[in-house]
Amino acid sequence: MSKLYFRYGAMNSGKSTALLQAAFNYEERSQHVLLAKPAIDSKGEKAIVSRLGVTRDVDFLIPPEVNLRDLFSDQAQKAKDDSNVSIACLLLDEAQFLTPLQVDQCLEIAVLDGVPVLAYGIRTDFKTLSFPGSRRLLEIAHSLEELKTICRCGRKAMFNGRLLNGVFTFSGEQVAIDGDQVTYESLCANCYLSKL
C-alpha cells in the first residue's frame, strides 16, 4: 500500500531542498514524478525555490477550490498520453496551504490510487497556530518526519517568527508570503517567547 507522508519543519529547515532531492532520486531511477504546490504560494510563481539556489517548475498549481485527486488524475493521464509514463510519486511543496479536504484527497491518491504522496510544509504560523492543511496532515498521514533547523542561539528552532520591516510582529493575517516588508525567522521556544 502506498502512503501519505508529511515532512514538516520550521522555516528554513530545508523542506523544499528535500523535496527536490526526492524528485531527483526518483528520476535518477527512471521513475516519473509530479510536483505541485498550492496556488496561494506566489513565491517563485510556478516554481519550487530552494534557499540553496535550486529551482524547478511545478507540474501544476492547486487552487483552493479544486479537487486535488481529480487534478492529479488529469495530470497523470496527461503524462501517460504525452510520454507513455506512469507517475510513481506526487510531491507537494507548501502543503500547509492545502485545505483539509485536499489533504483527505491526498490520502485517497495514496491509498486508492496507489501513488505515494510526499507533502512538505510547516506546522504552525507566526502565532504558533496550526495551518488547517498541516493539522489535517498531522491527523491522517501514515508517516510524520520533522526536518530540523537551528535558531540564532544554536538551539533547535520550532517556531516561525514574522518580521515586518525588520521588527517582530505577532498580529495580522495567517498568510503573508515573503515580500519586500515581510520576512520570517526560525526561532527556538526561548527566543520566540522573548520576542513575544
Side-chain angles (χ1 to χ4, degrees), residues 8-15 43 51 121-126 128 146-163 168 170 178 182-195:
Y8 64 91
M11 302 284 286
N12 302 322
S13 61
K15 297 175 299 298
K43 180 180 66 177
R51 287 180 304 127
I122 58 177
R123 287 182 314 144
T124 59
D125 65 14
F126 70 107
T128 71
E146 183 180 16
L147 302 176
K148 297 173 180 68
T149 191
I150 58 170
C151 178
R152 59 171 66 178
C153 71
R155 293 184 187 107
K156 176 186 154 193
M158 58 185 288
F159 295 117
N160 305 299
R162 179 186 284 173
L163 294 95
F168 282 96
F170 298 90
D178 292 348
V182 175
T183 58
Y184 293 89
E185 182 179 342
S186 304
L187 300 168
C188 70
N190 188 57
C191 290
Y192 180 88
L193 292 174
S194 72
K195 296 296 181 189

Side-chain angles (χ1 to χ4, degrees), residues 25-47:
N25 291 345
Y26 270 96
E27 292 168 344
E28 185 178 46
R29 290 158 184 83
S30 299
Q31 301 291 308
H32 301 278
V33 299
L34 287 176
L35 278 66
K37 69 177 187 174
I40 191 172
D41 178 34
S42 59
K43 180 180 66 177
E45 296 182 14
K46 198 179 174 197

